[in-house]
Amino acid sequence: MNKYKAVICDLDGTLLNSNHKISDYTIRVIKRIIQKGIKVVIATGRHHKDAIHYKNILECESYLIALNGAVILDEKNEIVQCHTIPCKYGDRILDLPRDKDIFMNISQGDNWYSSKLREQDKHFITESGFSQEVVDSFEKAKGKEISKVFYMCDDLSKIEELENELHNCFGNNINITSSFPQCIEVMASVANKGSAVEEILENLNCSKDEVIGFGDGLNDYEMLCSVGKGFIMGNANPKLKEMLPQCEVIGNNDEDAIGIHLAKLFL
């Protein structure tokens, strides 16, 4: 008998294909394993108001880990945990100079603010309908705790330069990670998907060894270390594969890899 009781799964690059949809096949498989009593938990860098859309598609009556673990929702989509960046760091981050080609986004409460809506990013919001408010400045966000700061730029050298500056300015006082190479994600120092998994294990009535996880980005590292068995997508960041050689690499997100693997394990 399969010992696993729960599945933790990232969204973009993992559960979602390149069109940012969950395939019909994978939806059917996940609904079947849920019917068998397996808990399925989405763990994403996206805002919780965005991620709820995918939870509803899968009919998951379980927890939801959003904003890379900064926010945890329960079965009824009520916030049960929220780790925010303190104002003394958040305000400094907002004032940090950045190249004009680097776009900044902020998740604060139920709001998502952005310096610009890029044409190539519109597909991220098409499915759920949850969109950001484009602002000329982030002054109104100051003096309030922030759940996540998210930078995007296609020039990887500029992203790397900014990441180094963030590390130099804030050290371990914030958590800096990435879901794909063109971005930087900043949360509270204690916020990551792995710590969120550890927080909900007891409520899932599971031990670590009874949980499996799927991911593709560097923001999935702690999560894959916090489950009994981790699986990495074939399309994953090469750095993640190097960091977790013990994790099995499966197919890519455009090949129904999640659905196929879950079917092998549970059906």
Side-chain angles (χ1 to χ4, degrees):
M1 180 179 292
N2 199 315
K3 68 176 182 179
Y4 299 119
K5 296 180 179 179
V7 177
I8 316 290
C9 193
D10 171 52
L11 279 180
D12 292 287
T14 303
L15 188 59
L16 304 184
N17 59 28
S18 295
N19 294 320
H20 301 276
K21 296 178 180 291
I22 309 173
S23 75
D24 291 340
Y25 171 76
T26 297
I27 291 173
R28 290 196 300 270
V29 169
I30 290 178
K31 287 184 176 180
R32 286 182 63 189
I33 71 172
I34 289 174
Q35 291 172 356
K36 292 169 68 71
I38 305 301
K39 293 291 185 181
V40 176
V41 177
I42 290 172
T44 178
R46 292 191 182 214
H47 195 286
H48 51 277
K49 294 187 72 173
D50 186 11
I52 286 173
H53 168 76
Y54 298 98
K55 180 181 175 181
N56 291 339
I57 288 176
L58 298 174
E59 299 176 5
C60 294
E61 294 184 0
S62 187
Y63 286 79
L64 169 65
I65 298 169
L67 296 170
N68 290 330
V71 172
I72 302 175
L73 272 60
D74 64 11
E75 296 94 334
K76 297 180 180 179
N77 293 331
E78 298 291 333
I79 295 177
V80 294
Q81 185 60 268
C82 185
H83 297 295
T84 54
I85 302 171
C87 296
K88 63 179 179 179
Y89 301 128
D91 286 357
R92 285 174 57 195
I93 291 172
L94 297 184
D95 285 335
L96 196 69
R98 67 182 190 279
D99 187 278
K100 62 180 178 60
D101 292 329
I102 298 177
F103 303 109
M104 187 164 71
N105 299 262
I106 296 173
S107 294
Q108 192 173 58
D110 286 341
N111 301 308
W112 172 18
Y113 304 118
S114 176
S115 61
K116 184 177 181 179
L117 175 57
R118 304 189 306 170
E119 190 67 32
Q120 61 265 47
D121 296 326
K122 289 183 178 179
H123 54 256
F124 281 101
I125 62 177
T126 301
E127 278 294 299
S128 69
F130 177 66
S131 182
Q132 68 266 63
E133 177 185 344
V134 178
V135 296
D136 293 328
S137 78
F138 294 96
E139 284 299 314
K140 67 178 180 180
K142 288 185 177 180
K144 305 173 187 177
E145 295 185 339
I146 296 170
S147 299
K148 176 182 166 183
V149 179
F150 179 67
Y151 301 94
M152 288 189 296
C153 183
D154 292 327
D155 188 329
L156 298 184
S157 65
K158 293 180 179 180
I159 282 289
E160 183 178 356
E161 182 179 350
L162 177 59
E163 182 175 358
N164 290 335
E165 186 172 2
L166 286 165
H167 280 294
N168 291 335
C169 290
F170 300 98
N172 294 327
N173 292 310
I174 57 175
N175 178 22
I176 302 171
T177 188
S178 173
S179 53
F180 53 92
Q182 294 83 7
C183 78
I184 303 171
E185 295 166 88
V186 180
M187 289 76 56
S189 59
V190 296
N192 63 70
K193 293 184 183 182
S195 62
V197 169
E198 292 171 1
E199 288 182 32
I200 66 176
L201 276 182
E202 184 176 349
N203 291 319
L204 289 174
N205 193 27
C206 296
S207 67
K208 172 182 176 178
D209 292 337
E210 294 173 319
V211 182
I212 62 173
F214 297 88
D216 76 301
L218 297 181
N219 62 331
D220 296 316
Y221 173 78
E222 292 89 352
M223 176 189 76
L224 294 173
C225 291
S226 299
V227 298
K229 176 69 174 176
F231 298 94
I232 297 177
M233 305 301 293
N235 52 280
N237 189 318
K239 291 183 180 179
L240 185 68
K241 297 176 183 178
E242 293 175 5
M243 295 165 65
L244 295 171
Q246 73 275 20
C247 290
E248 180 181 343
V249 177
I250 61 173
N252 71 48
N253 63 322
D254 285 324
E255 297 175 343
D256 284 328
I258 299 296
I260 291 170
H261 210 79
L262 290 177
K264 289 179 180 178
L265 287 173
F266 297 106
L267 302 181

